[in-house]
Amino acid sequence: MTGRILFINPNSNQRCGAGIAAALDPFRAEGFPTLDVATLPDGPPAIVAWSDWYAAAGPILDTIRREDNRTDLFVIACASDPALPAARETTRRPVIGTFAAAVAQALTLAERFGVIALASASIERHALALRQMGTEARLAAEIAMNVDMDTLLDPQATRAAMQQTARELVGRGAQTVILGCAGMAHHRAAVEDAAGVPVVEPCQAAAGLALARLLQSR
């Protein structure tokens, strides 16, 4: 079959975009839709503050308009799901938010989940998303790392702290853990090993949903 899924990295960090692309490698196969990643040069350096979340909307919507004719499904590759309702107004194609996808997967794996957030403001955005999904009662706890994106993208700089955070979430009742930032993708396996529970990476969760949607529609 043919088809194209576009993952929109709403920040301008090329290393973050490369990490998203690497996280999608297990989902690439001959005959499957292509999985492309667009990193937005006009986006903020990272989605940390609410102002970043709002600033990302324009570049996201511009990208969807530009790529609409050659894309079958869009994914907003940020665990704060910026501009998701507006994106769905902009195109007739399906649009998936990675945080919503991660929560959906977590709820198939366990009764309660925890989230490792990039920043304290991320916790507020996730709380809003969970209320909109009606799933806030299933959250065991969320803990912010409060580091910058470049530190997060380093292979080792935050790994031990993330592993400890995951163990703390498990201690607070989480039976599965969501990585609350696309920049955390390369830590997934190590965090899962440390936590002893399933760890959900949002872009991978979205890839599974996106492929299922396109495969069933053919």
Side-chain angles (χ1 to χ4, degrees):
M1 68 171 291
T2 59
R4 181 188 189 228
I5 300 167
L6 181 62
F7 284 72
I8 301 174
N9 170 28
N11 67 53
S12 59
N13 193 307
Q14 292 290 340
R15 290 175 61 206
C16 183
I20 293 168
L24 298 177
D25 282 345
F27 297 86
R28 306 181 197 277
E30 185 177 354
F32 273 29
T34 59
L35 305 176
D36 292 337
V37 178
T39 294
L40 308 188
D42 296 332
I47 309 298
V48 180
W50 277 103
S51 56
D52 301 320
W53 191 80
Y54 283 105
I60 289 171
L61 301 183
D62 288 344
T63 300
I64 290 174
R65 294 186 189 102
R66 185 174 62 250
E67 299 290 335
D68 197 46
N69 288 337
R70 65 191 196 100
T71 303
D72 296 283
L73 187 150
F74 293 95
V75 177
I76 298 178
C78 169
S80 286
D81 290 351
L84 183 58
R88 288 172 173 163
E89 286 184 344
T90 303
T91 178
R92 297 180 64 184
R93 315 289 187 183
V95 182
I96 294 174
T98 53
F99 184 68
V103 171
Q105 186 176 111
L107 293 178
T108 69
L109 296 171
E111 179 67 23
R112 305 187 74 203
F113 62 91
V115 181
I116 303 177
L118 172 63
S120 297
S122 303
I123 295 177
E124 299 171 5
R125 293 191 292 268
H126 293 160
L128 175 61
L130 293 175
R131 287 195 299 273
Q132 292 172 336
M133 297 173 70
T135 56
E136 65 270 31
R138 305 283 291 274
L139 176 69
E142 181 163 6
I143 300 172
M145 299 298 297
N146 287 318
V147 297
D148 60 45
M149 181 62 76
D150 286 336
T151 301
L152 186 66
L153 291 170
D154 185 276
Q156 297 297 330
T158 60
R159 179 159 294 178
M162 288 183 62
Q163 290 173 318
Q164 179 55 39
T165 299
R167 286 191 288 263
E168 183 175 344
L169 290 170
V170 172
R172 294 168 65 175
Q175 298 157 318
T176 186
V177 172
I178 295 172
L179 300 182
C181 176
M184 297 177 181
H186 58 299
H187 297 295
R188 194 207 65 79
V191 174
E192 184 168 284
D193 287 345
V197 300
V199 171
V200 177
E201 197 288 307
C203 290
Q204 292 184 338
L209 285 176
L211 288 171
R213 176 63 186 171
L214 294 189
L215 290 170
Q216 72 184 8
S217 66
R218 291 295 190 263

mmCIF file of all heavy atoms in Angstrom, residues 26-54:
data_model
loop_
_atom_site.group_PDB
_atom_site.id
_atom_site.type_symbol
_atom_site.label_atom_id
_atom_site.label_comp_id
_atom_site.label_asym_id
_atom_site.label_seq_id
_atom_site.Cartn_x
_atom_site.Cartn_y
_atom_site.Cartn_z
ATOM 1 N N PRO A 26 11.218 1.490 14.195
ATOM 2 C CA PRO A 26 10.597 0.156 14.278
ATOM 3 C C PRO A 26 9.261 0.045 13.541
ATOM 4 O O PRO A 26 8.773 -1.079 13.324
ATOM 5 C CB PRO A 26 10.393 -0.042 15.793
ATOM 6 C CG PRO A 26 11.375 0.874 16.438
ATOM 7 C CD PRO A 26 11.441 2.060 15.535
ATOM 8 N N PHE A 27 8.678 1.177 13.150
ATOM 9 C CA PHE A 27 7.370 1.169 12.502
ATOM 10 C C PHE A 27 7.472 1.301 10.983
ATOM 11 O O PHE A 27 6.454 1.367 10.304
ATOM 12 C CB PHE A 27 6.507 2.308 13.065
ATOM 13 C CG PHE A 27 6.219 2.157 14.528
ATOM 14 C CD1 PHE A 27 7.126 2.642 15.473
ATOM 15 C CD2 PHE A 27 5.079 1.515 14.975
ATOM 16 C CE1 PHE A 27 6.874 2.504 16.831
ATOM 17 C CE2 PHE A 27 4.830 1.366 16.328
ATOM 18 C CZ PHE A 27 5.727 1.855 17.257
ATOM 19 N N ARG A 28 8.685 1.330 10.477
ATOM 20 C CA ARG A 28 8.873 1.430 9.031
ATOM 21 C C ARG A 28 9.003 0.028 8.441
ATOM 22 O O ARG A 28 9.772 -0.796 8.924
ATOM 23 C CB ARG A 28 10.131 2.239 8.714
ATOM 24 C CG ARG A 28 10.169 3.620 9.361
ATOM 25 C CD ARG A 28 11.436 4.363 8.984
ATOM 26 N NE ARG A 28 11.703 5.484 9.870
ATOM 27 C CZ ARG A 28 11.159 6.689 9.762
ATOM 28 N NH1 ARG A 28 10.311 6.920 8.781
ATOM 29 N NH2 ARG A 28 11.453 7.654 10.626
ATOM 30 N N ALA A 29 8.238 -0.236 7.388
ATOM 31 C CA ALA A 29 8.298 -1.539 6.745
ATOM 32 C C ALA A 29 7.869 -1.395 5.295
ATOM 33 O O ALA A 29 7.074 -0.508 4.945
ATOM 34 C CB ALA A 29 7.382 -2.542 7.455
ATOM 35 N N GLU A 30 8.395 -2.269 4.458
ATOM 36 C CA GLU A 30 8.037 -2.242 3.045
ATOM 37 C C GLU A 30 6.532 -2.450 2.879
ATOM 38 O O GLU A 30 5.936 -3.337 3.496
ATOM 39 C CB GLU A 30 8.798 -3.340 2.296
ATOM 40 C CG GLU A 30 8.572 -3.317 0.799
ATOM 41 C CD GLU A 30 9.402 -4.362 0.067
ATOM 42 O OE1 GLU A 30 10.229 -5.017 0.726
ATOM 43 O OE2 GLU A 30 9.213 -4.508 -1.151
ATOM 44 N N GLY A 31 5.930 -1.591 2.081
ATOM 45 C CA GLY A 31 4.497 -1.686 1.850
ATOM 46 C C GLY A 31 3.658 -0.888 2.817
ATOM 47 O O GLY A 31 2.450 -0.744 2.614
ATOM 48 N N PHE A 32 4.284 -0.361 3.872
ATOM 49 C CA PHE A 32 3.576 0.468 4.840
ATOM 50 C C PHE A 32 3.654 1.935 4.404
ATOM 51 O O PHE A 32 4.520 2.326 3.628
ATOM 52 C CB PHE A 32 4.196 0.317 6.234
ATOM 53 C CG PHE A 32 3.650 -0.838 7.036
ATOM 54 C CD1 PHE A 32 3.165 -1.975 6.415
ATOM 55 C CD2 PHE A 32 3.636 -0.784 8.413
ATOM 56 C CE1 PHE A 32 2.673 -3.037 7.146
ATOM 57 C CE2 PHE A 32 3.139 -1.838 9.173
ATOM 58 C CZ PHE A 32 2.656 -2.973 8.532
ATOM 59 N N PRO A 33 2.774 2.784 4.947
ATOM 60 C CA PRO A 33 2.903 4.214 4.686
ATOM 61 C C PRO A 33 4.259 4.742 5.151
ATOM 62 O O PRO A 33 4.831 4.238 6.123
ATOM 63 C CB PRO A 33 1.762 4.833 5.517
ATOM 64 C CG PRO A 33 0.757 3.742 5.662
ATOM 65 C CD PRO A 33 1.565 2.481 5.755
ATOM 66 N N THR A 34 4.771 5.742 4.453
ATOM 67 C CA THR A 34 6.010 6.372 4.883
ATOM 68 C C THR A 34 5.760 7.230 6.114
ATOM 69 O O THR A 34 4.677 7.805 6.287
ATOM 70 C CB THR A 34 6.605 7.234 3.769
ATOM 71 O OG1 THR A 34 5.659 8.245 3.408
ATOM 72 C CG2 THR A 34 6.947 6.405 2.554
ATOM 73 N N LEU A 35 6.754 7.301 6.971
ATOM 74 C CA LEU A 35 6.690 8.102 8.196
ATOM 75 C C LEU A 35 7.729 9.212 8.079
ATOM 76 O O LEU A 35 8.929 8.967 8.201
ATOM 77 C CB LEU A 35 6.973 7.234 9.427
ATOM 78 C CG LEU A 35 6.087 5.990 9.601
ATOM 79 C CD1 LEU A 35 6.554 5.184 10.806
ATOM 80 C CD2 LEU A 35 4.633 6.386 9.753
ATOM 81 N N ASP A 36 7.271 10.416 7.820
ATOM 82 C CA ASP A 36 8.164 11.556 7.665
ATOM 83 C C ASP A 36 8.080 12.459 8.892
ATOM 84 O O ASP A 36 7.056 12.491 9.588
ATOM 85 C CB ASP A 36 7.798 12.364 6.422
ATOM 86 C CG ASP A 36 8.076 11.609 5.129
ATOM 87 O OD1 ASP A 36 8.917 10.682 5.150
ATOM 88 O OD2 ASP A 36 7.451 11.945 4.099
ATOM 89 N N VAL A 37 9.145 13.204 9.140
ATOM 90 C CA VAL A 37 9.202 14.143 10.260
ATOM 91 C C VAL A 37 9.548 15.530 9.724
ATOM 92 O O VAL A 37 10.518 15.683 8.975
ATOM 93 C CB VAL A 37 10.242 13.716 11.315
ATOM 94 C CG1 VAL A 37 10.309 14.742 12.446
ATOM 95 C CG2 VAL A 37 9.913 12.330 11.862
ATOM 96 N N ALA A 38 8.753 16.515 10.093
ATOM 97 C CA ALA A 38 9.031 17.904 9.742
ATOM 98 C C ALA A 38 9.337 18.684 11.015
ATOM 99 O O ALA A 38 8.507 18.760 11.919
ATOM 100 C CB ALA A 38 7.832 18.526 9.028
ATOM 101 N N THR A 39 10.537 19.224 11.101
ATOM 102 C CA THR A 39 10.909 20.123 12.201
ATOM 103 C C THR A 39 10.728 21.551 11.719
ATOM 104 O O THR A 39 11.161 21.899 10.619
ATOM 105 C CB THR A 39 12.362 19.864 12.624
ATOM 106 O OG1 THR A 39 12.448 18.545 13.184
ATOM 107 C CG2 THR A 39 12.816 20.866 13.677
ATOM 108 N N LEU A 40 10.084 22.389 12.521
ATOM 109 C CA LEU A 40 9.640 23.695 12.060
ATOM 110 C C LEU A 40 10.631 24.799 12.433
ATOM 111 O O LEU A 40 10.758 25.142 13.614
ATOM 112 C CB LEU A 40 8.260 24.011 12.646
ATOM 113 C CG LEU A 40 7.190 22.922 12.422
ATOM 114 C CD1 LEU A 40 5.833 23.435 12.862
ATOM 115 C CD2 LEU A 40 7.161 22.469 10.972
ATOM 116 N N PRO A 41 11.322 25.371 11.466
ATOM 117 C CA PRO A 41 12.308 26.415 11.777
ATOM 118 C C PRO A 41 11.689 27.656 12.405
ATOM 119 O O PRO A 41 12.383 28.406 13.104
ATOM 120 C CB PRO A 41 12.939 26.733 10.413
ATOM 121 C CG PRO A 41 11.946 26.241 9.399
ATOM 122 C CD PRO A 41 11.261 25.072 10.021
ATOM 123 N N ASP A 42 10.402 27.868 12.176
ATOM 124 C CA ASP A 42 9.729 29.033 12.762
ATOM 125 C C ASP A 42 9.116 28.733 14.128
ATOM 126 O O ASP A 42 8.520 29.631 14.745
ATOM 127 C CB ASP A 42 8.624 29.531 11.822
ATOM 128 C CG ASP A 42 9.175 30.045 10.503
ATOM 129 O OD1 ASP A 42 10.333 30.504 10.499
ATOM 130 O OD2 ASP A 42 8.459 29.978 9.493
ATOM 131 N N GLY A 43 9.253 27.517 14.599
ATOM 132 C CA GLY A 43 8.716 27.159 15.903
ATOM 133 C C GLY A 43 9.629 27.608 17.028
ATOM 134 O O GLY A 43 10.786 28.009 16.795
ATOM 135 N N PRO A 44 9.160 27.558 18.261
ATOM 136 C CA PRO A 44 10.011 27.893 19.404
ATOM 137 C C PRO A 44 11.106 26.846 19.590
ATOM 138 O O PRO A 44 10.994 25.732 19.064
ATOM 139 C CB PRO A 44 9.024 27.890 20.574
ATOM 140 C CG PRO A 44 7.919 26.983 20.135
ATOM 141 C CD PRO A 44 7.801 27.149 18.654
ATOM 142 N N PRO A 45 12.170 27.162 20.337
ATOM 143 C CA PRO A 45 13.240 26.187 20.550
ATOM 144 C C PRO A 45 12.768 24.917 21.254
ATOM 145 O O PRO A 45 13.323 23.834 21.049
ATOM 146 C CB PRO A 45 14.246 26.949 21.417
ATOM 147 C CG PRO A 45 13.966 28.383 21.145
ATOM 148 C CD PRO A 45 12.498 28.477 20.911
ATOM 149 N N ALA A 46 11.744 25.039 22.090
ATOM 150 C CA ALA A 46 11.134 23.896 22.777
ATOM 151 C C ALA A 46 9.767 24.355 23.266
ATOM 152 O O ALA A 46 9.505 25.556 23.389
ATOM 153 C CB ALA A 46 11.993 23.428 23.948
ATOM 154 N N ILE A 47 8.894 23.403 23.541
ATOM 155 C CA ILE A 47 7.582 23.741 24.100
ATOM 156 C C ILE A 47 7.702 23.609 25.615
ATOM 157 O O ILE A 47 7.529 22.527 26.186
ATOM 158 C CB ILE A 47 6.472 22.814 23.561
ATOM 159 C CG1 ILE A 47 6.520 22.758 22.033
ATOM 160 C CG2 ILE A 47 5.107 23.301 24.044
ATOM 161 C CD1 ILE A 47 6.282 24.066 21.333
ATOM 162 N N VAL A 48 8.044 24.717 26.253
ATOM 163 C CA VAL A 48 8.246 24.717 27.700
ATOM 164 C C VAL A 48 7.165 25.546 28.371
ATOM 165 O O VAL A 48 6.328 25.018 29.097
ATOM 166 C CB VAL A 48 9.648 25.248 28.062
ATOM 167 C CG1 VAL A 48 9.842 25.252 29.575
ATOM 168 C CG2 VAL A 48 10.731 24.401 27.392
ATOM 169 N N ALA A 49 7.148 26.845 28.100
ATOM 170 C CA ALA A 49 6.153 27.737 28.686
ATOM 171 C C ALA A 49 4.868 27.717 27.865
ATOM 172 O O ALA A 49 4.847 27.268 26.712
ATOM 173 C CB ALA A 49 6.702 29.166 28.747
ATOM 174 N N TRP A 50 3.806 28.235 28.467
ATOM 175 C CA TRP A 50 2.552 28.363 27.719
ATOM 176 C C TRP A 50 2.753 29.224 26.479
ATOM 177 O O TRP A 50 2.142 28.982 25.424
ATOM 178 C CB TRP A 50 1.466 28.973 28.608
ATOM 179 C CG TRP A 50 0.780 27.983 29.495
ATOM 180 C CD1 TRP A 50 0.991 27.815 30.839
ATOM 181 C CD2 TRP A 50 -0.227 27.031 29.135
ATOM 182 N NE1 TRP A 50 0.170 26.813 31.316
ATOM 183 C CE2 TRP A 50 -0.587 26.322 30.307
ATOM 184 C CE3 TRP A 50 -0.867 26.713 27.936
ATOM 185 C CZ2 TRP A 50 -1.552 25.316 30.308
ATOM 186 C CZ3 TRP A 50 -1.828 25.711 27.929
ATOM 187 C CH2 TRP A 50 -2.156 25.017 29.108
ATOM 188 N N SER A 51 3.599 30.236 26.562
ATOM 189 C CA SER A 51 3.844 31.102 25.406
ATOM 190 C C SER A 51 4.430 30.305 24.236
ATOM 191 O O SER A 51 4.111 30.573 23.075
ATOM 192 C CB SER A 51 4.774 32.255 25.784
ATOM 193 O OG SER A 51 5.994 31.772 26.324
ATOM 194 N N ASP A 52 5.276 29.292 24.516
ATOM 195 C CA ASP A 52 5.801 28.419 23.468
ATOM 196 C C ASP A 52 4.671 27.612 22.837
ATOM 197 O O ASP A 52 4.619 27.418 21.623
ATOM 198 C CB ASP A 52 6.848 27.458 24.038
ATOM 199 C CG ASP A 52 8.020 28.159 24.671
ATOM 200 O OD1 ASP A 52 8.478 29.176 24.112
ATOM 201 O OD2 ASP A 52 8.480 27.693 25.733
ATOM 202 N N TRP A 53 3.782 27.120 23.696
ATOM 203 C CA TRP A 53 2.652 26.297 23.239
ATOM 204 C C TRP A 53 1.777 27.084 22.271
ATOM 205 O O TRP A 53 1.396 26.578 21.216
ATOM 206 C CB TRP A 53 1.861 25.855 24.472
ATOM 207 C CG TRP A 53 0.823 24.819 24.268
ATOM 208 C CD1 TRP A 53 1.000 23.472 24.160
ATOM 209 C CD2 TRP A 53 -0.595 25.029 24.218
ATOM 210 N NE1 TRP A 53 -0.207 22.826 24.043
ATOM 211 C CE2 TRP A 53 -1.206 23.759 24.080
ATOM 212 C CE3 TRP A 53 -1.403 26.169 24.293
ATOM 213 C CZ2 TRP A 53 -2.583 23.595 23.994
ATOM 214 C CZ3 TRP A 53 -2.780 26.011 24.201
ATOM 215 C CH2 TRP A 53 -3.361 24.739 24.053
ATOM 216 N N TYR A 54 1.507 28.338 22.599
ATOM 217 C CA TYR A 54 0.705 29.174 21.710
ATOM 218 C C TYR A 54 1.491 29.578 20.464
ATOM 219 O O TYR A 54 0.939 29.628 19.354
ATOM 220 C CB TYR A 54 0.204 30.414 22.447
ATOM 221 C CG TYR A 54 -0.961 30.129 23.368
ATOM 222 C CD1 TYR A 54 -0.789 30.068 24.744
ATOM 223 C CD2 TYR A 54 -2.232 29.906 22.859
ATOM 224 C CE1 TYR A 54 -1.855 29.799 25.594
ATOM 225 C CE2 TYR A 54 -3.304 29.626 23.700
ATOM 226 C CZ TYR A 54 -3.112 29.582 25.068
ATOM 227 O OH TYR A 54 -4.168 29.300 25.901
#
